Amino acid sequence: MRSVFCLTIMLFSTKLLYAQNKISKPVLDTNVLLKFPYMGNEAISNDGRYMKYVVTNQPGGGSTLVIQSTESGWKKDLINIEGGEFSEDSKDYLYKIKDTLFFVSLGDESKPKYITNIETYKKPASGHEGWWAYQLKGKEKELVLQNRRTRQEQQFKGVEEYGFNDKGTILLLKITSGQNGSENELLWVDLLDNKINSIWSSKTAKIGGYSFDNVSKQLTFLTIEKNEIRPKCSVWYYKKGTGKAVKQVDDQTEGINQNLFIANTIPTFSASGQYIFFKITAAADIRKPLSGVAKLSIWSYKDSVIQSLQLKNRGERTYWASIAVNGDLVLQPEQDDEMVNSGTEFRHLDLILISNHVSIRDFWWASFGKEKKWLVSLKDGSRKLLPFSHTTFYSVSPTGRYLVYYEPKSHSYYSYDTARRKTADICTGVPSILYDKKGASESVQIEALFAYGIAGWLEDGSAVFVYDEYDIWQLDPFGLKPPVNLTHGLGRRHAIRLRLLAKNIGNVNRGLDNNSNIILTALDSKTQQTGYYRMTLGRSADPEQLNLDACAWGSKDFGGIEPLKARDADKWIVSKQTSSESPDYYFTTDFSRFKRLTHLQPQQNYNWFTTELINWKRADGLFNQGLLFKPEDFDQSKKYPVIFVYYDKKIQERFQYIRPGYNAGDPDVAWLVSHGYIVCEPDIHYAVNKPGQSAYLSVVSAARYLLTLPYVDEKSMAVSGHSFGGFETNYIISHSGKMFACAYEAAGTSDLISSYGAIRGRNGQEDQLNQTVLYENGQYRMADNLWENPKTYIENSPIFRADQVRTPLLIMHNKEDASVPWSQGMEWYAGLRRLQKPVWMLEYDGGGHLVGGAAGIDINFRMLQFFDHYLKGEPAPAWMTKGIPAKVKGIEMRYELDSAGNCGGSCKVCKKWNERYNGTLVPTSGNWLSKKETNQGQVNVFKNRPKPTN
């Protein structure tokens, strides 16, 4: 069966390869998608002189690890090697194959050196001391510790586990010794003074995970001892220079509830090093269910967590707990309906942030805005209720004294002084709007999501940086000094959005220094060009433009990789891409001059596309923008079919490269355009209570604009979308009459009322996540609940206008969809089927909200055949004309085209094929051949058949 399927794919792909007229390059086909090369997994050496990356699908079906110089032409290709890392001293690249560890000498043409019989190897995360270690295979479990600088070497036997602190000054060894390995021991190896201390041993317990404090002078670790009922865990503590570790807490320690136990999780230190964090857990109920009684679930309105979620999570619940390193006071700050949600940010002040987090109580059933947050003292457990609850944004100063947060109601930033417990409005005097007013006007209760955000802090905590639409502001957390526009309004004057490069910010607890040289990313909001600027904190001058180009330079804002900086040098690796140029790597030291390091442009071998920004006016007077993708071999004199693909806003992706792939949900733009379609991605602008109409206005107005262009075929336009875009598609075709020739939607909602109280499934079980919040507080922008305003829910539900649908529809929706209930697709299909509308529904076994693998290949085929039929006049495939009966499921794919069949009684395309070629052609998987040609065995002869004319 598999061979037949593969042959079908090959023949179908070959048809696609040759069937287009006047193509100078081949189109994308299945074989291309399987082998399309791309780069990733990049890294830069500590000195910045070398980089590495992996080219996937080069050679075809494999991969190549490339190590190359950023300064010279030296380069090394390693076939089918993906792992490895640079050595600490930037002299070697290490990688392991089976039991052999290889060393590529950087800049050297010699063959790699190697060590055999290797089990594992490790090196410090950021140390400068030159130490690393590797463990040999064998019963002796020998570990070799080596200094790559001094060549000093030492061996240890019986090593069960080992690890370095981050700086590489301490090696921790878990070893076994004694007869038959009866003794478990923990060794602290000080690599600076070459001392070895045995800090713990036991014949009954083993060591679990461990953690160092920030300065590596303290260690905490977990021990695990077998027990008849459950393993017994204890938390231990060791301080450098002392004799032995001491047990800090176990199940019997005062402060641990008798029904709770130490959990098998790694303990950690607070940032101050004064407290140890660990977890405790409640045992699951081990009582056996009663026999002979009814098995039922009782759903009570008093349950804070719905029954289905309780059933899924009825195992053990863990809680954060803490103990001082001196052994005083065990605290359990986290209760049943709470969780620590930002503990690490405050730990140097011995405070943690606790929230009655709605995800614990089932967010989707909880009322939005009832979340509360407290600062809890680790010293005595006292709590202080914070003056904000559901705000999305907050940030803690590097010293931990100030918490700055955004208040959506006043659209302002406030600081909370954790020492004085006072709140101050710190935005007074800022003339700019610090939130996306346009975006917020399209929301209901999620205004906080549209704040432009907090950029970072000065390292001493004396200033916080926040964004407006274009510029960066410095605010005083005391609320005394006036705000300062750090970028001097340059961004607003030129409509260029300036943002801190993420690498400038570094660790959230570090901050920026007042004389920092800062690289800014830049996005021209009119042209979508990107680039970099430079500014110096504390200097009164406009940011300096380093470059601004018609491309997408790499950053978290523009796509591609976030620029990589060498640890020990001001050297960077950045990526650059356009819609017609695959991302390549560049080397720079100043972000104004760039050296190209790679040239991987696989799209040059195929019929690719161009991208342009388009503008038009909607029926309601609002100006709209979108992206238009045209085939590389675009011919102004031809008429092209158009497919609209949409979700929310897309124009910021104008210069981003679209790597072709299988259709996981949304149609793949590169695939469609390569096969002769124009694709339009219009931005959707939303109005509260009108998600469907908003999509309709944007998409239909885009269609009307495109109809003014001479190369657009007015009878061959389609709409398509996935998830929320699927809902938008359903709404559009229920309101647009015969405007669109066909439509494809995947995993879309069809009925806001039945979906309103639905539980979303996962792994085949309906167990969690009520849809309500998507409507009242989120994506659907509904201002009221269902009973306050049922009319808006009806108006936005396509199911109530199923009788108005005039557009053939292909649906993809799967039972294990964890985001949109499968019942929504089935309800829509059933309604259209009842009304005898042409509709097909694809449901993939094991498929969820997205699909992949064989299902991704299949949906690509069927979707393209569906579009080709209605938009290009191709015959319908047999799965559309005849279906696939359950008895041949997985046996017959029925991709073959059926010129004698009919996908629907009123299908004009089928009718023309029936009339013109009735009885003269037979379908094959590769082309349309006459009976004579088929009988002669010419099944591999490809000829261009004339299409029926409209």
Side-chain angles (χ1 to χ4, degrees):
M1 199 299 262
R2 181 176 178 181
S3 61
V4 173
F5 177 56
C6 293
L7 177 62
T8 305
I9 292 176
M10 183 181 68
L11 292 172
F12 185 76
S13 301
T14 310
K15 169 184 177 285
L16 296 176
L17 186 63
Y18 294 103
Q20 304 293 320
N21 289 320
K22 300 180 181 179
I23 285 186
S24 57
K25 296 180 181 179
V27 299
L28 294 169
D29 63 18
T30 301
N31 291 325
V32 173
L33 297 186
L34 286 170
K35 300 176 182 179
F36 205 81
Y38 60 93
M39 297 185 296
N41 197 21
E42 56 283 318
I44 187 170
S45 61
N46 289 335
D47 64 2
R49 296 179 59 206
Y50 299 90
M51 81 164 297
K52 73 96 177 182
Y53 53 91
V54 173
V55 185
T56 301
N57 287 329
Q58 193 179 77
S63 65
T64 301
L65 172 67
V66 182
I67 311 164
Q68 72 179 79
S69 171
T70 59
E71 301 173 347
S72 69
W74 183 88
K75 183 179 178 182
K76 182 79 72 175
D77 291 349
L78 302 172
I79 306 301
N80 290 329
I81 304 296
E82 294 192 9
E85 56 192 323
F86 288 107
S87 63
E88 187 67 29
D89 57 9
S90 301
K91 292 182 179 179
D92 296 298
Y93 187 85
L94 288 67
Y95 66 93
K96 187 172 176 283
I97 301 178
K98 295 183 178 179
D99 66 348
T100 303
L101 181 61
F102 292 88
F103 301 79
V104 175
S105 182
L106 300 177
D108 194 333
E109 295 300 334
S110 61
K111 292 183 178 180
K113 298 176 183 178
Y114 59 88
I115 304 174
T116 59
N117 198 37
I118 297 289
E119 185 74 44
T120 60
Y121 79 93
K122 292 182 182 180
K123 67 183 189 65
S126 60
H128 292 78
E129 303 301 324
W131 292 100
W132 75 296
Y134 60 90
Q135 189 167 28
L136 299 173
K137 285 187 170 183
K139 295 181 179 180
E140 292 187 345
K141 299 181 179 179
E142 181 179 354
L143 181 85
V144 179
L145 171 66
Q146 186 183 86
N147 190 297
R148 290 178 56 82
R149 294 179 181 175
T150 66
R151 298 302 173 185
Q152 181 182 354
E153 192 169 282
Q154 193 169 0
Q155 288 80 31
F156 300 88
K157 293 185 178 181
V159 176
E160 295 288 344
E161 181 57 71
Y162 64 103
F164 292 93
N165 65 332
D166 285 348
K167 294 182 179 179
T169 58
I170 297 167
L171 173 66
L172 205 64
L173 300 176
K174 302 179 191 177
I175 66 172
T176 57
S177 58
Q179 189 175 4
N180 298 321
S182 58
E183 184 90 6
N184 297 305
E185 192 174 6
L186 186 63
L187 300 184
W188 174 289
V189 182
D190 194 317
L191 301 176
L192 294 181
D193 59 17
N194 197 28
K195 291 183 179 180
I196 302 174
N197 295 327
S198 175
I199 63 173
W200 175 90
S201 63
S202 174
K203 292 184 178 181
T204 58
K206 292 188 176 182
I207 298 173
Y210 59 86
S211 300
F212 292 95
D213 68 355
N214 288 337
V215 293
S216 299
K217 291 188 177 181
Q218 300 180 108
L219 177 77
T220 181
F221 58 93
L222 189 81
T223 62
I224 307 167
E225 209 166 352
K226 288 185 178 180
N227 191 287
E228 292 181 359
I229 301 177
R230 56 182 294 134
K232 181 181 179 181
C233 297
S234 302
V235 176
W236 290 70
Y237 167 73
Y238 174 74
K239 185 175 183 180
K240 183 179 179 180
T242 60
K244 294 284 186 179
V246 296
K247 184 189 291 185
Q248 202 75 345
V249 61
D250 61 21
D251 296 341
Q252 281 71 50
T253 301
E254 185 177 352
I256 303 292
N257 187 295
Q258 63 177 355
N259 295 320
L260 298 176
F261 306 89
I262 306 296
N264 185 4
T265 56
I266 300 174
T268 58
F269 284 97
S270 65
S272 68
Q274 296 301 305
Y275 294 88
I276 296 172
F277 292 94
F278 59 97
K279 288 193 174 183
I280 53 181
T281 183
D285 194 334
I286 60 173
R287 292 178 296 177
K288 294 182 178 180
L290 299 174
S291 60
V293 299
K295 302 295 191 297
L296 78 163
S297 297
I298 298 178
W299 298 63
S300 170
Y301 76 99
K302 292 185 177 183
D303 289 341
S304 60
V305 179
I306 59 175
Q307 278 288 308
S308 55
L309 196 54
Q310 288 185 48
L311 290 168
K312 181 181 179 182
N313 298 326
R314 58 181 169 178
E316 298 180 352
R317 161 79 204 277
T318 59
Y319 306 87
W320 278 93
S322 66
I323 187 170
V325 295
N326 62 13
D328 290 344
L329 191 60
V330 173
L331 289 178
Q332 182 194 324
E334 192 179 49
Q335 304 302 318
D336 282 344
D337 288 350
E338 299 172 352
M339 68 180 299
V340 175
N341 58 344
S342 283
T344 58
E345 295 171 331
F346 287 96
R347 289 180 185 176
H348 47 312
L349 282 189
D350 301 327
L351 297 169
I352 56 175
L353 191 63
I354 294 288
S355 169
N356 64 330
H357 203 282
V358 287
S359 66
I360 296 296
R361 298 175 301 147
D362 191 350
F363 180 85
W364 307 94
W365 288 81
S367 297
F368 190 79
K370 289 186 178 180
E371 183 183 18
K372 295 180 180 179
K373 299 183 189 295
W374 297 268
L375 279 180
V376 180
S377 169
L378 298 176
K379 296 177 182 179
D380 56 17
S382 61
R383 292 185 169 213
K384 172 62 179 177
L385 183 65
L386 292 174
F388 69 92
S389 57
H390 61 280
T391 181
T392 303
F393 291 46
Y394 64 87
S395 180
V396 181
S397 65
T399 63
R401 176 167 178 175
Y402 291 99
L403 182 148
V404 167
Y405 61 94
Y406 175 76
E407 175 51 61
K409 292 182 180 178
S410 61
H411 300 298
S412 186
Y413 284 96
Y414 293 81
S415 72
Y416 176 73
D417 188 329
T418 61
R420 296 187 301 161
R421 297 190 174 184
K422 290 187 177 181
T423 302
D425 184 343
I426 60 176
C427 279
T428 303
V430 177
S432 301
I433 297 174
L434 299 178
Y435 69 100
D436 183 354
K437 188 174 182 180
K438 186 176 181 180
S441 68
E442 297 176 352
S443 71
V444 182
Q445 299 180 43
I446 55 172
E447 296 95 333
L449 295 176
F450 297 95
Y452 289 113
I454 299 171
W457 291 82
L458 280 181
E459 62 182 353
D460 63 1
S462 63
V464 63
F465 310 122
V466 301
Y467 295 127
D468 69 14
E469 185 174 5
Y470 301 109
D471 291 298
I472 307 172
W473 291 83
Q474 178 176 308
L475 306 180
D476 173 23
F478 290 87
L480 301 176
K481 297 177 182 178
V484 176
N485 190 315
L486 286 181
T487 47
H488 301 278
L490 180 142
R492 186 165 296 279
R493 290 197 305 273
H494 299 284
I496 294 175
R497 190 181 74 188
L498 300 172
R499 297 293 184 259
L500 286 180
L501 189 66
K503 289 291 182 182
N504 285 306
I505 300 172
N507 190 303
V508 69
N509 291 322
R510 188 178 69 206
L512 301 171
D513 115 23
N514 208 9
N515 296 308
S516 295
N517 241 340
I518 297 176
I519 302 297
L520 306 175
T521 60
L523 172 67
D524 188 315
S525 63
K526 295 179 180 178
T527 65
Q528 308 304 310
Q529 291 182 329
T530 69
Y532 302 102
Y533 278 66
R534 177 170 51 210
M535 64 176 286
T536 303
L537 285 181
R539 182 182 173 189
S540 181
D542 283 356
E544 173 192 1
Q545 180 179 322
L546 302 176
N547 72 324
L548 196 67
D549 302 315
C551 68
W553 285 105
S555 83
K556 65 182 178 63
D557 298 305
F558 315 143
I561 67 164
E562 184 72 18
L564 297 173
K565 183 183 181 300
R567 188 191 69 185
D568 303 328
D570 195 16
K571 298 177 180 180
W572 299 75
I573 300 295
V574 301
S575 68
K576 178 184 177 183
Q577 62 182 302
T578 70
S579 61
S580 57
E581 294 180 0
S582 177
D584 270 313
Y585 298 119
Y586 290 75
F587 173 74
T588 185
T589 59
D590 58 10
F591 287 89
S592 60
R593 293 167 297 177
F594 298 88
K595 176 184 177 182
R596 188 169 188 166
L597 299 177
T598 62
H599 196 283
L600 183 70
Q601 300 296 321
Q603 77 289 338
Q604 293 179 348
N605 300 318
Y606 304 96
N607 186 40
W608 202 245
F609 57 84
T610 60
T611 308
E612 62 184 82
L613 186 66
I614 56 174
N615 301 270
W616 68 93
K617 194 174 184 179
R618 300 195 331 182
D620 59 358
L622 179 69
F623 280 95
N624 224 111
Q625 289 184 304
L627 299 178
L628 193 65
F629 303 89
K630 297 177 182 175
E632 181 181 345
D633 62 344
F634 176 75
D635 184 347
Q636 183 80 24
S637 65
K638 288 178 59 177
K639 290 279 190 180
Y640 287 87
V642 177
I643 299 173
F644 293 88
V645 180
Y646 38 79
Y647 191 85
D648 201 310
K649 294 179 175 63
K650 289 283 191 177
I651 61 168
Q652 71 275 10
E653 300 174 6
R654 177 183 181 184
F655 294 111
Q656 290 187 18
Y657 182 80
I658 302 175
R659 192 176 83 218
Y662 295 121
N663 172 16
D666 263 330
D668 183 76
V669 171
W671 172 266
L672 292 174
V673 180
S674 183
H675 288 91
Y677 290 97
I678 287 177
V679 173
C680 179
E681 288 188 343
D683 275 3
I684 310 296
H685 297 279
Y686 296 97
V688 172
N689 282 337
K690 297 179 179 180
Q693 185 184 23
S694 299
Y696 173 88
L697 287 170
S698 294
V699 175
V700 169
S701 63
R704 288 172 177 160
Y705 165 72
L706 292 187
L707 288 176
T708 66
L709 305 178
Y711 50 80
V712 170
D713 186 343
E714 64 178 3
K715 295 183 179 180
S716 298
M717 295 194 300
V719 287
S720 65
H722 170 254
S723 192
F724 185 57
F727 153 74
E728 293 173 322
T729 298
N730 293 336
Y731 183 94
I732 290 168
I733 65 172
S734 65
H735 290 76
S736 57
K738 297 182 179 180
M739 184 173 196
F740 299 104
C742 62
Y744 163 78
E745 73 96 347
T749 300
S750 60
D751 185 348
L752 271 63
I753 295 176
S754 63
S755 180
Y756 184 89
I759 302 172
R760 305 199 290 187
R762 192 180 298 275
N763 298 327
Q765 299 177 0
E766 292 187 329
D767 52 25
Q768 61 178 346
L769 305 182
N770 177 260
Q771 297 280 84
T772 305
V773 74
L774 290 177
Y775 301 138
E776 295 176 32
N777 305 304
Q779 201 167 32
Y780 286 77
R781 283 97 171 166
M782 305 300 280
D784 309 297
N785 68 42
L786 174 61
W787 300 272
E788 291 170 333
N789 196 348
K791 181 181 178 182
T792 59
Y793 285 82
I794 294 173
E795 289 175 346
N796 282 284
S797 295
I799 193 68
F800 292 103
R801 288 180 59 89
D803 60 325
Q804 301 299 310
V805 172
R806 301 290 184 269
T807 308
L809 176 65
L810 177 63
I811 302 171
M812 190 273 283
H813 214 135
N814 304 306
K815 283 187 177 179
E816 295 190 23
D817 192 324
S819 297
V820 178
W822 174 74
S823 57
Q824 287 296 298
M826 180 51 63
E827 185 175 340
W828 189 224
Y829 164 78
L832 294 173
R833 178 179 180 274
R834 167 63 181 84
L835 296 166
Q836 298 186 346
K837 308 288 184 179
V839 58
W840 294 262
M841 182 170 170
L842 309 178
E843 177 201 330
Y844 292 95
D845 291 358
H849 197 55
L850 301 171
V851 295
I857 298 172
D858 187 84
I859 187 64
N860 253 31
F861 283 159
R862 299 192 196 278
M863 177 196 66
L864 192 61
Q865 287 184 317
F866 178 78
F867 284 144
D868 282 351
H869 175 60
Y870 286 110
L871 302 182
K872 290 185 175 182
E874 294 278 2
W879 63 266
M880 288 178 64
T881 59
K882 301 175 181 177
I884 300 181
K887 64 183 179 181
V888 296
K889 177 181 176 179
I891 300 172
E892 296 182 16
M893 304 309 292
R894 298 195 177 179
Y895 294 129
E896 66 273 11
L897 306 182
D898 184 6
S899 63
N902 198 309
C903 70
S906 60
C907 179
K908 295 180 180 179
V909 178
C910 287
K911 185 178 180 181
K912 289 181 179 180
W913 276 101
N914 296 161
E915 292 174 350
R916 189 165 182 175
Y917 299 110
N918 186 29
T920 64
L921 294 182
V922 296
T924 72
S925 297
N927 199 3
W928 293 90
L929 307 174
S930 68
K931 290 180 179 178
K932 180 180 179 181
E933 290 170 329
T934 302
N935 292 333
Q936 292 173 346
Q938 297 174 326
V939 294
N940 289 319
V941 176
F942 295 93
K943 296 182 180 179
N944 293 316
R945 296 288 182 185
K947 302 285 194 308
T949 56
N950 291 325

